[in-house]
Amino acid sequence: MPASEPAATDEAGPSVTLRVRIGAGEAHYGGELVAGARVLELFGDVATYLTIRTDGDEGLLTGYSSVDFTAPVRAGDFLEVTGTVRHRGRLRRTIAFEARKVVAARYEEGASSAVVLTEPQVVCRATGTSVVPVAKARAARRAG
């Protein structure tokens, strides 16, 4: 590896968090349940934000090495979605994702009832890989 190219790192890197309300139009199943694919879409948004911040380019989320859904998401819930760069290679970034429910809809108490959770509830964790173009990766290394 040329001396001008930094080695890959496994240290925790930049992190971003988005907060999103899940709307009624996103319910896909009975009981106002939302498809897990919606959470993965939010992970994609977080990956895009991260690579824009770190590399000046949207990059491309190429896949997930793990995805674990741990609790249901319903219309009316608010999610806090975080992504943290765990490994930064020359072109690839490994990102750890976590989605937490911070407000839960309470349909059993009324159509518009909700509660702020004292402890956020993890609804999904995943690990994914994002790739940035060679020119953008080189420019980010020179700048940072």
Side-chain angles (χ1 to χ4, degrees), residues 9-97:
T9 176
D10 284 324
E11 296 175 14
S15 181
V16 298
T17 299
L18 302 175
R19 228 178 226 194
V20 183
R21 180 181 185 271
I22 304 299
E26 297 177 270
H28 190 73
Y29 300 104
E32 299 297 319
L33 287 173
V34 173
R38 177 63 175 118
V39 177
L40 297 181
E41 182 181 15
L42 293 170
F43 288 166
D45 291 345
V46 166
T48 298
Y49 187 11
L50 269 171
T51 55
I52 288 170
R53 280 189 55 202
T54 59
D55 298 286
D57 190 272
E58 290 186 3
L60 178 64
L61 182 60
T62 59
Y64 294 98
S65 57
S66 68
V67 176
D68 295 306
F69 294 101
T70 56
V73 175
R74 291 187 166 78
D77 292 345
F78 279 75
L79 300 183
E80 187 175 79
V81 183
T82 300
T84 303
V85 175
R86 294 291 182 207
H87 174 85
R88 184 179 173 127
R90 192 170 66 85
L91 301 176
R92 297 183 193 285
R93 283 79 176 107
T94 302
I95 303 170
F97 299 101

